[in-house]
Amino acid sequence: MKKTGGALRLFVQFLKFGCFTFGGGLNIVAQMQRLYVDEEKKITNVELLDLTGVARSLPGLFVGNVAFLYGYRDSGYPGAFAAIFGMVIPPMIVLSFITYFYTEFHSQATVMSAMTGVRAAVVPIMASAILGLVRGAFPMRICYAVAAAALGLYLFLHVNCVWLVAGGAAAGLIISRFWKGGRGDGAA
């Protein structure tokens, strides 16, 4: 019974998230961070970062993957399916409405101006999510150097993301093994 109540709660929460997840997946991270990390304290910033990292690496839509993974973590499979259904219902309704009236919307300067405003409002929401994840992601200062190196390799040398993730994992293993005085206890 606990999982059913948790699934219903997740459905309602992700239904709300789905109503306001404009501009891509990072928006859901900002909403989840505010609710689950800051207010309810169900997970930490590091756990949210890990969850989003796994969701990003899986095939499919990022927001769907995040909803499914968090729902499963919270309430098993009932929570996973409740979260994903809650997440997709609002955009599906909006997309159906917009698709039906697409030609009318596309030619309306007012509607296009409103969409420009929505895009401008999404950028700071995404930035706050990124800053929140960065604050909780790096347990040691050396991690900032690894992140900066990965960013540089990606932006300037166009290194494939797979190699960056593999290199990050290797760097994490090396750092945890040797950085703190060679303890090798895995404390990163």
Side-chain angles (χ1 to χ4, degrees), residues 94-115:
V94 170
L95 189 58
S96 297
F97 182 76
I98 289 174
T99 301
Y100 186 75
F101 294 106
Y102 179 74
T103 54
E104 288 82 9
F105 280 156
H106 189 67
S107 61
Q108 292 287 327
T110 307
V111 172
M112 297 313 291
S113 296
M115 294 309 293

Side-chain angles (χ1 to χ4, degrees), residues 42-91:
K42 287 191 167 199
I43 59 175
T44 65
N45 271 325
V46 173
E47 290 171 314
L48 182 59
L49 181 66
D50 290 344
L51 187 119
T52 57
V54 171
R56 180 71 67 195
S57 66
L58 294 172
L61 296 175
F62 175 70
V63 293
N65 292 345
V66 168
F68 192 87
L69 289 169
Y70 183 81
Y72 181 80
R73 181 191 184 284
D74 187 82
S75 299
Y77 282 113
F81 288 108
I84 200 162
F85 286 130
M87 187 72 225
V88 301
I89 287 173

Side-chain angles (χ1 to χ4, degrees), residues 13-53:
Q13 288 172 338
F14 277 84
L15 191 69
K16 291 176 186 174
F17 292 161
C19 289
F20 299 102
T21 303
F22 292 93
L26 284 178
N27 195 307
I28 190 177
V29 175
Q31 294 179 68
M32 290 178 69
Q33 183 179 25
R34 177 164 289 154
L35 180 63
Y36 299 129
V37 176
D38 298 338
E39 292 176 16
E40 295 182 0
K41 304 209 183 306
K42 287 191 167 199
I43 59 175
T44 65
N45 271 325
V46 173
E47 290 171 314
L48 182 59
L49 181 66
D50 290 344
L51 187 119
T52 57

